[in-house]
Amino acid sequence: MMLSRRQALAAGGLAALFPMVSSAAAERLVVAGGALTEIAVALGHARYLAGVDETSLYPPAVVAPLPKIGYLRTLSAEGILSLAPSLLLASDQAGPPAVLAQLRGAGVNVVTVPEIHAAEAVEGKIRTVAAALGDEAGGGRMAASVRADLAAVDRMVADRKQTPRVLFIMSTSNGRVMAAGRDTAADLMLTRAGGRNVMAGYAGYKPATPEAILAADPDVVLLPQHSLMALGGMTGVASLPALAGTAAVRHKHIHALDMLYMLGLGPRIAHAVRDMAVMLHPGMALPALPPRSWT
């Protein structure tokens, strides 16, 4: 896969843009971004965590007891400063920008990490976090493992006999379906798993009309676990007018997902792609990937 200049930077050179912080200097580590928290923990820095944001859900035994700094995009400088952080690792989706500027002005070392919808960019994310934590060697080993696992999944998926049509639902409200188009983490994952996004005609996440969904006639429907529960389970999903006549409902190919696992684009990405491929290709025998400490 050919990467753009921005993606290439993320895949390897981005870490060099940030100052390296020793573990001693990061003894009060706060993280805003679920994938970044996963990486920091996987690198052995859980003991330095002083707080995390609400998107940081894994590993639960580590993050559940920690103070929460709020939602990724609506952070409060006062709440973060109350934890006396020496380092804030933040997704570039974190904000507002004025809050990050206030934290920098207060002497907090803030390292922002780009969110790029490319599997190869996860390697750059790992290396950037590792460099900020002063653990470039550990980051290199993790990045190499993730790269090898992604290559293994690509080989598995290449043997598929079919490319199912997939509808990725991000949310439902009053019967309206918000679906994932191209240039999204959902599109990346389902495509990598050997599916075809039936809503690739537009970019981002947008409402999809019942007519458009029925015309696309997806073979598989993927949606968040919380949406499945809100709709009352599989019966509720199947009763949505937009889905009732689709092949996915007729053949009961509806799957609920752990969204951080499937869309987090963190160190578990290869295992998530493999598990999604199992959902999309139920007749294929897909071998398990090597166990990793972060999975």
Side-chain angles (χ1 to χ4, degrees):
M1 177 179 177
M2 184 66 68
L3 299 181
S4 68
R5 181 177 180 275
R6 184 168 183 253
Q7 291 169 339
L9 279 171
L14 190 62
L17 299 180
F18 299 108
M20 199 160 75
V21 180
S22 69
S23 295
E27 285 182 354
R28 300 289 298 176
L29 172 63
V30 174
V31 186
L36 307 185
T37 298
E38 288 190 40
I39 294 167
V41 172
L43 289 170
H45 294 263
R47 63 190 182 279
Y48 300 121
L49 283 170
V52 295
D53 77 309
E54 292 176 2
T55 71
S56 297
L57 303 173
Y58 185 89
V62 173
V63 300
L66 292 171
K68 302 302 184 289
I69 60 173
Y71 179 61
L72 180 72
R73 299 177 189 270
T74 55
L75 301 176
S76 161
E78 291 75 13
I80 295 173
L81 289 172
S82 71
L83 299 175
S86 52
L87 172 64
L88 171 66
L89 287 174
S91 161
D92 68 354
Q93 304 301 304
V99 168
L100 300 184
Q102 186 176 347
L103 293 170
R104 290 187 176 99
V108 178
N109 184 22
V110 179
V111 173
T112 56
V113 185
E115 292 290 344
I116 299 173
H117 297 142
E120 289 77 8
V122 174
E123 180 182 346
K125 189 182 295 185
I126 291 168
R127 292 183 183 277
T128 300
V129 172
L133 296 173
D135 190 8
E136 290 180 305
R141 290 190 295 270
M142 181 187 294
S145 295
V146 171
R147 184 168 63 249
D149 289 345
L150 280 169
V153 175
D154 287 345
R155 290 191 294 270
M156 296 178 200
V157 173
D159 291 334
R160 70 187 185 279
K161 300 294 189 261
Q162 296 178 325
T163 301
R165 304 182 304 275
V166 184
L167 173 67
F168 203 117
I169 297 175
M170 288 303 296
S171 64
T172 59
S173 177
N174 298 322
R176 299 182 66 198
V177 172
M178 182 73 71
R182 67 180 183 276
D183 301 329
T184 61
D187 181 69
L188 160 66
M189 293 295 290
L190 72 87
T191 302
R192 195 91 183 203
R196 179 170 67 84
N197 187 357
V198 298
M199 293 298 159
Y202 60 79
Y205 300 100
K206 295 180 180 178
T209 66
E211 294 77 14
I213 294 173
L214 291 171
D217 193 22
D219 300 305
V220 182
V221 170
L222 306 176
L223 77 167
Q225 290 172 342
H226 63 83
S227 292
L228 178 68
M229 294 175 61
L231 290 168
M234 293 297 180
T235 301
V237 175
S239 67
L240 286 173
L243 300 178
T246 63
V249 168
R250 290 195 304 272
H251 301 296
K252 299 181 179 180
H253 289 168
I254 301 170
H255 302 280
L257 309 177
D258 175 334
M259 296 300 273
L260 177 60
Y261 178 49
M262 288 297 183
L263 302 189
L265 305 186
R268 297 182 291 164
I269 183 172
H271 292 73
V273 172
R274 185 260 175 201
D275 289 351
M276 187 176 289
V278 170
M279 297 175 187
L280 302 187
H281 311 284
M284 287 184 66
L286 297 173
L289 289 172
R292 304 295 184 187
S293 61
W294 50 87
T295 62

